[in-house]
Amino acid sequence: MGIKVSEFGKTSKGSEAHLYTVVNSRGMAMEVSDYGATLVSIIVPDAKGRMDDVLLGYGDVQDYEKGTCYFGACIGRNGNRVKNAQAVIGGKVYQMEKNEGENSLHSGSEGYSGIIWDAEADPKENSVRFHHTGADGEQGLPGTFDVTVTYTLTDENEIRIHYEGISDKDTIANMTNHGYYNLAGHASGNVENHVLWLDASAFTPVGEGMIPTGEILDVEGTPMDFRVAKKIGRDIGADYEQLKIAGGYDHNYVLPESNGSIRRIAQVTEETCGRTMEVLTDAPGVQFYAGNFVESRPIGKEGVVYGKRSGLCLETQGFPDAGHHEAFPTTVLKAGDKYDTTTIYRFGVLSE
């Protein structure tokens, strides 16, 4: 148990970044940085007790600055894509930055993945809290947004991510973590043999620019169905329009109603090493991304060259582009209301 603070280099603007190493009583460790409130590493045992880092990432802060994959980053105020970079709040349109063609992705260059957060380590709780006060107009969005993200490592080998915030004006609040996981170890290559179970009977299809069409489609009878666990690579190359549009899986799945409670929505298994990862959340959706466009520019930590599908993402979230689709649950945070959502990544091993 305990938390160690170390230097993580300086940003291109000269700001110092730090790395917080948190260890639990079972020897599991996580590292988080105040740059981007980023989850940098997760070191967990396999079925034979061998420890390995199962999270893709970089070795210092400047590589995180240069990277384009959002490895382990805290995404906000708004995760995922917004059509024409136009957020709709109370019938009014707010112009965000166009950073992916005509659209906005992960809130643009002012997104929370690229700032230095205020950090506070709490050894008693085995957690690190990151705090940021976003000014009115930040990312083109209204409201002074006071937000805290807390990472906690439990003795049950869980990483709990708790997001909470409040704004003085109606704004968008749809945050997530963009961790890329490879349960065989971050240096082990392709994740297509990982087995995924996902508790979702529907997904939101996309069109041009990976923007949702507004439809909600049943997964029944399609390659999108993971209600019975299967290898990620089994159907990823199927002759199916949605997989062709996205180059593989990169879709928001509609989760069962949470009623405000945290429920188990996914499990990933790597059968060779025996590691498992469960995902629990109170969010309405999860973006399953199979790492179709992962590339090593710059080179990853420990000199590892990451390639296509070297890691998978399960980004819990509100639905992308929600403001343009009446059928989607809203991602608008009303002035004075509390934004409060939790996601848990629970690590284990297969039993004999």
Side-chain angles (χ1 to χ4, degrees), residues 4 24 57 79 86 93 95 119 130 135 153 187 189 204 214 224 263 280 291 300 321:
K4 181 181 76 172
N24 71 8
Q86 293 180 334
V93 174
Q95 188 63 53
F130 297 108
L153 177 59
T204 54
M224 311 302 287
R263 75 285 197 214
L280 302 89
D321 197 39

Side-chain angles (χ1 to χ4, degrees), residues 259-329:
N259 295 314
S261 62
I262 297 170
R263 75 285 197 214
R264 178 174 174 266
I265 60 100
Q267 178 168 313
V268 183
T269 303
E270 207 291 313
E271 294 173 337
T272 303
C273 70
R275 288 190 184 95
T276 64
M277 182 181 77
E278 296 173 279
V279 184
L280 302 89
T281 188
D282 52 18
V286 62
Q287 185 86 5
F288 167 44
Y289 176 44
N292 309 311
F293 298 100
V294 170
E295 58 181 0
S296 270
R297 290 204 300 261
I299 301 299
K301 54 190 170 184
E302 299 173 342
V304 176
V305 177
Y306 300 130
K308 181 178 180 178
R309 299 186 182 134
S310 289
L312 65 93
C313 304
L314 289 164
E315 305 160 67
T316 57
Q317 59 174 12
F319 295 6
D321 197 39
H324 292 117
H325 307 288
E326 289 186 5
F328 291 4

Side-chain angles (χ1 to χ4, degrees), residues 132-255:
H132 171 70
T133 302
D136 186 10
E138 174 189 67
Q139 304 166 6
L141 297 172
T144 301
F145 186 44
D146 191 82
V147 59
T148 301
V149 181
T150 304
Y151 293 85
T152 302
L153 177 59
T154 76
D155 285 332
E156 288 72 44
N157 282 5
E158 298 172 337
I159 293 177
R160 303 177 67 96
I161 308 176
H162 181 205
Y163 309 86
E164 50 191 330
I166 193 167
S167 174
D168 60 357
K169 296 179 182 177
D170 292 1
T171 193
I172 300 293
N174 181 25
M175 299 179 67
T176 192
N177 181 273
H178 212 312
Y180 289 70
Y181 298 90
N182 187 323
L183 297 185
H186 79 103
S188 63
N190 195 289
V191 295
E192 290 187 17
N193 282 330
H194 283 48
V195 175
L196 173 65
W197 168 80
L198 187 55
D199 188 17
S201 59
F203 74 104
T204 54
V206 295
E208 184 179 354
M210 293 294 293
I211 296 295
T213 63
E215 300 168 278
I216 295 176
L217 293 186
D218 199 311
V219 300
E220 181 72 34
T222 77
M224 311 302 287
D225 193 350
F226 285 89
R227 291 173 298 174
V228 176
K230 66 180 181 183
K231 288 186 177 181
I232 290 167
R234 193 186 83 176
D235 299 326
I236 203 167
D239 184 12
Y240 185 69
E241 182 186 23
Q242 285 297 306
L243 293 175
K244 289 181 175 181
I245 289 172
Y249 297 107
D250 188 8
H251 295 82
N252 171 64
Y253 279 78
V254 179
L255 299 176

Side-chain angles (χ1 to χ4, degrees), residues 30 111 115 149:
M30 74 171 180
I115 64 172
V149 181

